[in-house]
Structures are given as C-alpha cells and as structure tokens.
Amino acid sequence: MPDLKGKVTIITGASSGIGKGTAVEFAQLGAHLALTGRNQENLQATARACVEAGIPEDKVLVEQTVQKFGRIDVLVNNAAIGKISTIETTDMADYDRTMDVNLRSVVVLTQLCVPHLTKTQGTIVNVSSVNGTRAFPGLLAYNMSKSALDQFTRCVALELASKQIRVNSVNPGVILTGIQKRAGLSEEQYVKFLEHSKSTHALGRVGEVSEVAKTIAFLASSDASFITGAQVPVDGGRHAMCTGF
C-alpha cells in the first residue's frame, strides 16, 4: 500500500469524478485532505465519503491548509473542464475559461505550494489526459490545455528536482466520470460514445475512477521515489493505438 498516512494533501476538482475518487483513496490510506471543487453540494458529498473512509472533514486551501496542518506534502492538480468545439466553432470566452481552469489555475496553485513542498520534499501529481499526448478532433481547447499541462509537468519537474520535489502527471483515457456529458454530449450520445470507446482502448473497455486514483496515490508516495517528469498513461493502451476518435 502507498505510504500516505498523515500526508497533508491538497486535491482540486474533488467534487466529482477522478478528484472525488482520489480523495476517497487518499482518505483510506490515512492522508489529511484539503479539498476544493466548483460544486459545493458534490464537494460536501465527497467530504462525507472521506469521513466514512476514516478522516475528519476539512475543505481548505494553501494558507488555511498550512495553518491547520503545518505543512503540505502532496498537491494533486485535478480540476478541469472541457467543451465540444472545433477551430470553426470555438467560442473564445469558453476557450479562455478552459485555459484558466485547466492550466492557469495549476500554475498559480503550484507556485503557492512550492515553498511548502520544498520544506517537506513533497510531490505534485497533475491530472492530464491521453488528449494531451494524442490529437482528437472536436475538443480543441481541452486538448491544447492538456498538452500544455504535460509540458508544464516536464518543465517544473526539472526546475524543482534540486529541491527533491517530484512532479508527474497521469494521462487517463476514457474514464467513467461523465465529463463528456458535461462537455456537451447528450445521454444518448454518451452511451454510444462509451460503446465506441471499447474499440479505441486496447483492453477493450473504458476505465474506472479507482484505477486512476490508485495510480495517483502511487506517484504521490515514496514507492515512486525515482520517478519525476513522467506522463503515466492510465488508458487501457489507447495511447499506443492508431485508431481514430
């Protein structure tokens, strides 16, 4: 089991999907959590799930986290949004919002956390996507933001290596989170998309949130002590395939 007991961890986008699953996974491993998310009701549900997993409820960020726990050990940059659009249909307001949430917020939060992670020789895990390493039509701004996030991961890993702060990303394929519906697919389109996705992943299925969460926990732990600057695919082999979208 990853050794995360007592590790003070900030997780963004914890109100649903991979962020929620990661929060529960870290709670089960004994971490102390500071959670943030856009949907307050869902965030409360995540907090309750974490309490049931064995930790006290707490939802704060950098200054409040340090005030309460005295340190930061792990930062999981997970918050992200996406919207179906092409170069011909992209609304620049949506483009700017996607870049703000998926990229700018990561840069800002990482900057704020570095002084604290330096003291603990902590770790950063960025939640990217197979869309960051492969091109897919119809999600232009999202794809661009995840590609930039991967470059950010590599650059920051090199910049912080001398401080013994490790920085890695996970790059999920299609995971059962419903993000595609939030991006604009109807329920019928989403069902067809999931069925089609069985053929675009070498293992013949889509992934579960827990499979990504466990990989994040591994990268955040000392079990991954000699891994930094990596993009770890959690995508059933999709990154290695040449099939279309």
Side-chain angles (χ1 to χ4, degrees):
M1 301 286 287
D3 55 337
L4 295 176
K5 186 175 179 60
K7 296 294 186 181
V8 177
T9 303
I10 292 177
I11 302 175
T12 68
S15 58
S16 64
I18 290 171
K20 179 178 181 178
T22 301
V24 173
E25 178 71 18
F26 275 56
Q28 292 172 339
L29 294 171
H32 298 305
L33 299 181
L35 310 177
T36 183
R38 293 185 301 278
N39 187 308
Q40 187 64 29
E41 182 178 350
N42 288 350
L43 191 61
Q44 293 286 352
T46 298
R48 288 193 295 272
C50 290
V51 171
E52 291 170 3
I55 68 162
E57 179 176 355
D58 193 39
K59 300 179 297 299
V60 291
L61 272 184
V62 180
E63 289 185 5
Q64 295 92 338
T65 302
V66 174
Q67 286 173 4
K68 181 171 179 64
F69 297 114
R71 67 184 194 278
I72 298 173
D73 298 294
V74 181
L75 170 62
V76 180
N77 286 308
N78 168 74
I81 59 173
K83 186 171 184 179
I84 295 172
S85 64
T86 68
I87 187 58
E88 295 177 293
T89 63
T90 294
D91 176 86
M92 293 311 297
D94 290 334
Y95 174 91
D96 289 341
R97 183 165 180 262
T98 298
M99 290 299 176
D100 282 347
V101 173
N102 295 9
L103 194 60
R104 190 178 190 278
S105 68
V106 174
V107 176
V108 172
L109 187 55
T110 300
Q111 283 182 327
L112 293 172
C113 286
V114 164
H116 304 289
L117 293 169
T118 298
K119 296 175 183 178
T120 59
Q121 296 187 348
T123 61
I124 300 171
V125 183
N126 298 320
V127 179
S128 183
S129 171
V130 67
N131 296 55
T133 58
R134 294 292 183 268
F136 301 104
L139 285 166
L140 183 63
Y142 180 84
N143 295 348
M144 292 172 66
S145 71
K146 292 302 186 179
S147 181
L149 181 60
D150 286 341
Q151 182 71 313
F152 174 81
T153 297
R154 292 186 290 266
C155 290
V156 175
L158 297 182
E159 292 174 358
L160 299 181
S162 63
K163 300 178 185 294
Q164 299 303 304
I165 299 174
R166 297 185 297 102
V167 186
N168 295 290
S169 73
V170 292
N171 292 64
V174 175
I175 308 296
L176 289 171
T177 65
I179 188 174
Q180 292 83 9
K181 287 195 288 185
R182 293 192 293 276
L185 291 187
S186 67
E187 183 65 36
E188 181 181 358
Q189 290 172 323
Y190 182 59
V191 170
K192 290 181 179 179
F193 171 75
L194 292 180
E195 183 63 29
H196 173 67
S197 294
K198 295 178 181 179
S199 67
T200 61
H201 295 66
L203 292 181
R205 64 175 177 88
V206 298
E208 300 286 343
V209 165
S210 63
E211 294 173 306
V212 183
K214 290 179 185 298
T215 305
I216 293 170
F218 164 72
L219 289 173
S221 76
S222 62
D223 291 344
S225 57
F226 205 50
I227 302 175
T228 196
Q231 283 70 61
V232 180
V234 189
D235 64 358
R238 184 171 188 174
H239 70 284
M241 297 176 67
C242 294
T243 55
F245 182 77

